[in-house]
Amino acid sequence: MLTPDRIREAPKALLHDHLDGGLRPATIVDLAAEYGYDGLPTRDPDELAAWMHRGADRKSLELYLETFAHTVGVLQERDAIIRVAAECAEDLAADGVVYAEVRYAPELSTERGLTLDEVVDANLEGFMLGSRRAAEAGREIVMKMLVTAMRQAARSVEVAECAVRWRDAGVVGFDVAGPEKGYPPTRYLDAFEYIRRENFHITIHAGESFGLPSIWEALQFAGAERLGHGVRIVDDITTLPDGSVQLGRLAAFVRDRRIPLEMCPTSNVHTGAAASVREHPIDLLRRLRYRVTLNTDNRLMSGVTLSSEFAALDEAFGIDLGEMEWLTINALKSAFAPFDERLRLINEVVKPGYAHLRAEQTRVVG
């Protein structure tokens, strides 16, 4: 019963989406020509999209990250960032997303003189512009920004301070991303301690390409409130011969504390964190009622939308509208927006939206 149209129409929430991983291919080509970026492998938008997909699907996080050289390459000017952020909001709204936290590392856009603050300002301006256009088209969306520091750089405290400066303008949290191996969360304790002292929010890429120690450090040392991916938590879960499940200490801690898992199945297949969507730990974790959320990660590189991720989940595990609503409410409960804003979206947008879809479905069946 989960047709593509019904999935797209359902109100959805997104917590893990990278601005530099979701550009429109045609926009990359336009910006490359406008700002003199000559590194693209092709200037045909369709060929570029196919190249990105092939480049990302190499079963390695480190290789996956190489494709970002080209998207970041065209995000070095204020107007380019505004355009990309505005299109991001429009594209998500057109896909039925009503709340999104989109992350970006401002240090990636400073090669031509922009400051961290100027990058964040442009990003937020683009979100406002895109949200306004989406509303005019009949699709309301709330856009928030997560400011990311790159693991392989040495600017985490500077980036954390930037995130806090913009907390009242649309930035809702701090993140670290990039290669996990060799860059444990403990390398950035000064930044995390600063964020905590400021009563701000933390989410960390952890447990994607690296194992349980990455998750443990993110939670116990860095103070992460959510886990970006977190798929390797399954390494602490044992299925016994009688079919029952035994949770290790860390797995039990994550479930008992209702720590949200920002899961991105297709991306995890591409980076080698899972063999296929059907074999992705999200099935076991949702059945064990972890605080699972469904996300896109990088829409361009993985060739996905949030709707297509729900469709993939339905094809693999046979979910229904009730499961979609549960995953969506999980995301909004876990969002970093203020409580009253989250409550409004749940009670005035999400629940009525799914009630309407169920009523429509009942009429069709009848």
Side-chain angles (χ1 to χ4, degrees):
M1 299 300 296
L2 283 182
T3 64
D5 286 344
R6 183 165 284 124
I7 292 173
R8 192 178 306 108
E9 189 62 28
K12 296 174 285 293
L14 180 60
L15 301 182
H16 194 119
D17 184 86
H18 291 266
L19 183 73
D20 49 333
L23 283 72
R24 298 173 184 174
T27 295
I28 298 175
V29 173
D30 286 351
L31 294 176
E34 184 173 356
Y35 296 112
Y37 177 76
D38 59 3
L40 294 183
T42 173
R43 290 187 177 269
D44 179 276
D46 293 335
E47 290 179 2
L48 182 60
W51 185 92
M52 290 282 186
H53 300 164
R54 288 195 304 271
D57 189 9
R58 292 188 285 175
K59 314 307 178 189
S60 162
L61 177 59
E62 288 72 23
L63 295 175
Y64 182 95
L65 295 175
E66 289 181 3
T67 57
F68 287 83
H70 302 300
T71 55
V72 170
V74 299
L75 285 172
Q76 300 301 319
E77 304 287 347
R78 173 179 171 80
D79 287 348
I81 297 168
I82 292 172
R83 174 178 172 177
V84 167
E87 291 177 351
C88 171
E90 291 178 271
D91 292 346
L92 293 178
D95 190 44
V97 176
V98 297
Y99 177 88
E101 293 178 10
V102 177
R103 59 192 73 194
Y104 187 54
E107 60 194 285
L108 296 177
S109 288
T110 58
E111 293 177 8
R112 293 192 181 182
L114 290 177
T115 66
L116 298 179
D117 290 279
E118 287 171 338
V119 175
V120 173
D121 181 48
N123 198 329
L124 293 171
E125 183 173 331
F127 284 168
M128 285 191 293
L129 177 60
S131 298
R132 187 163 63 246
R133 289 174 181 167
E136 291 169 355
R139 287 283 196 178
E140 300 280 348
I141 186 170
V142 175
M143 293 292 295
K144 304 291 186 182
M145 181 181 181
L146 294 170
V147 170
T148 297
M150 299 306 297
R151 294 179 188 269
Q152 63 272 39
R155 303 182 69 177
S156 58
V157 172
E158 187 183 357
V159 174
E161 291 170 345
C162 176
V164 170
R165 282 196 296 274
W166 290 90
R167 68 186 304 172
D168 296 322
V171 172
V172 292
F174 175 69
D175 168 45
V176 293
E180 285 185 60
K181 189 174 181 180
Y183 299 95
T186 46
R187 290 184 56 156
Y188 318 100
L189 290 183
D190 288 351
F192 295 127
E193 288 171 3
Y194 171 78
I195 292 291
R196 290 202 300 273
R197 286 198 304 272
E198 293 295 326
N199 301 313
F200 206 34
H201 295 294
I202 298 171
T203 179
I204 300 176
H205 283 69
E208 181 184 10
S209 65
F210 207 61
L212 295 172
S214 170
I215 294 173
W216 183 77
E217 289 189 2
L219 297 174
Q220 307 305 347
F221 281 101
E225 299 164 66
R226 301 192 319 230
L227 293 171
H229 299 286
V231 290
R232 296 273 50 91
I233 195 66
V234 75
D235 295 344
D236 201 36
I237 301 174
T238 304
T239 301
L240 302 175
D242 64 359
S244 62
V245 174
Q246 185 175 47
L247 304 186
R249 297 290 188 189
L250 183 59
F253 180 87
V254 169
R255 187 172 71 164
D256 292 347
R257 288 291 185 94
R258 314 307 297 145
I259 295 167
L261 303 174
E262 303 165 357
M263 312 215 85
C264 312
T266 299
S267 174
N268 292 155
V269 173
H270 290 165
T271 61
S276 66
V277 173
R278 192 173 295 277
E279 298 169 85
H280 194 281
I282 193 171
D283 181 47
L284 174 63
L285 296 169
R286 74 185 179 94
R287 287 189 283 109
L288 291 173
R289 275 336 196 212
Y290 278 77
R291 179 69 68 81
V292 174
T293 68
L294 187 66
N295 302 277
T296 51
D297 201 13
N298 298 291
R299 287 169 287 118
L300 170 60
M301 282 68 175
S302 289
V304 297
T305 63
L306 191 52
S307 289
S308 75
E309 287 294 85
F310 272 109
L313 219 59
D314 182 42
E315 182 180 354
F317 310 119
I319 66 171
D320 57 14
L321 279 175
E323 190 82 354
M324 276 194 71
E325 183 177 18
W326 177 74
L327 288 163
T328 300
I329 290 176
N330 274 355
L332 284 170
K333 284 181 177 178
S334 309
F336 290 157
F339 175 73
D340 54 353
E341 189 169 15
R342 289 180 279 144
L343 204 61
R344 180 189 69 80
L345 286 167
I346 290 171
N347 291 330
E348 298 180 16
V349 179
V350 173
K351 288 184 176 180
Y354 280 93
H356 172 74
L357 289 171
R358 275 191 287 270
E360 277 193 343
Q361 182 173 288
T362 301
R363 285 196 295 272
V364 170
V365 172

